[in-house]
Amino acid sequence: ILRPKYDDKGRLVKSTRESFSATNRMHFIGVGIFALLFHLAEPFDFSPFPSSRPSNEIFVTFELGQMNNTFTQALMLNMTLFFSMYGISALGSVLTGFQFHDTITSNPMFVSSSPSDFWGRRWNNLIHSGLKQGVYKPVRWNTGNKHLAAFAAFFASGIIHEYMWALWFFNTDAEMADPDCTTCHHVIHGKQLLFFGWNGILIVLEYLLGERLAFLKAIFPRLVTSHLVVLLSLPVGHLFAGDMTLSGYFKHFQVCLPLIKATPIAIA
């Protein structure tokens, strides 16, 4: 997970009081933002917008409430990646005395200029780097086709996430047979392949039509452009975020968050 920083001479960069303080500051800023989002979304089970569709819907949906809920969940997921990576980087600096690359996301929800910008530069750079070196470049080198290489990378990402889902949401037969099991969550496999396949197609379409649509960036403000980019994925976003939300992924973070909760007081 941790990628050490090197100077121009290829030597590891030592951690300093200033670099350590900067990393910790970004970590706690991320924790604070996530805590605020948690306060706002938790009373609604992290689906604050009315929707007639289930969170783990297995089909593409264009229902507005569902897409707004997916946006909320994606924003919260982005923040968990953000503050977790800064925290891990700070811990690594304490244990080794060196600096590490600590930016895993770069505000993808609000400043992305295109699907390739969202996935290639702003969302989970750690996974992107591995897929680029391990899938995209070898496929492009052997075929000379960047469209095929891009789709292959997203297909590989879908396979990886299907495996992750199989591990995260594994339940024994006894657990699944227990109607009172509070930690069991049954997933339908194949949804991650559909989600990443959809986004792989978006990247290929961008390669094919990007130049013709480039004028849109000059017409719309960056925030509007970014929302349009995210909107392209929202019809299938619940395929990724739905299981995480229903399984209690966000609720598990409350043990490490500064939260304010009302407590009933018994009056004698």
Side-chain angles (χ1 to χ4, degrees), residues 245-267:
T245 303
L246 293 175
S247 66
Y249 172 82
F250 297 119
K251 287 187 177 181
H252 293 325
F253 279 95
Q254 64 184 329
V255 298
C256 64
L257 294 176
L259 300 175
I260 301 174
K261 288 194 173 185
T263 303
I265 301 176
I267 301 177

Side-chain angles (χ1 to χ4, degrees), residues 5-202:
K5 292 183 178 180
Y6 295 91
D7 60 19
D8 295 337
K9 297 182 179 180
R11 298 173 299 189
L12 290 169
V13 178
K14 292 185 177 180
S15 178
T16 64
R17 179 179 299 178
E18 291 75 16
S19 66
F20 182 72
S21 297
T23 299
N24 272 290
R25 183 170 60 253
M26 295 304 294
H27 169 71
F28 286 110
I29 288 175
V31 170
I33 295 174
F34 181 75
L36 175 61
L37 293 172
F38 187 98
H39 269 298
L40 295 174
E42 194 268 342
F44 306 96
D45 290 327
F46 307 101
S47 296
F49 297 92
S51 171
S52 61
R53 311 302 302 179
S55 295
N56 59 345
E57 168 75 73
I58 62 173
F59 301 108
V60 174
T61 178
F62 295 91
E63 203 231 22
L64 184 60
Q66 176 78 295
M67 291 196 294
N68 283 332
N69 287 329
T70 299
F71 182 92
T72 302
Q73 295 153 11
L75 181 60
M76 295 185 67
L77 176 59
N78 173 66
M79 291 311 304
T80 65
L81 294 173
F82 179 89
F83 75 74
S84 296
M85 194 63 200
Y86 277 104
I88 293 172
S89 179
L91 178 61
S93 294
V94 170
L95 296 176
T96 66
F98 298 108
Q99 295 184 37
F100 296 90
H101 292 280
D102 44 31
T103 302
I104 192 172
T105 68
S106 184
N107 203 4
M109 307 299 290
F110 298 106
V111 297
S112 296
S113 60
S114 65
S116 61
D117 184 44
F118 180 97
W119 291 108
R121 303 178 185 89
R122 302 191 177 279
W123 181 274
N124 204 337
N125 294 324
L126 182 65
I127 295 295
H128 164 74
S129 178
L131 290 171
K132 183 176 181 179
Q133 299 299 325
V135 180
Y136 177 85
K137 286 188 174 181
V139 173
R140 185 167 183 180
W141 175 266
N142 285 283
T143 66
N145 190 323
K146 70 176 184 179
H147 307 97
L148 179 60
F151 188 81
F154 275 87
F155 183 76
S157 184
I159 294 176
I160 291 171
H161 284 83
E162 286 288 342
Y163 176 70
M164 292 168 58
W165 257 233
L167 295 180
W168 285 354
F169 304 116
F170 173 78
N171 299 292
T172 64
D173 293 338
E175 289 174 328
M176 294 302 296
D178 182 3
D180 298 321
C181 180
T182 58
T183 60
C184 299
H185 177 71
H186 176 68
V187 299
I188 300 175
H189 295 291
K191 292 192 296 184
Q192 303 315 306
L193 285 172
L194 177 57
F195 173 75
F196 285 99
W198 174 287
N199 286 285
I201 292 173
L202 290 179

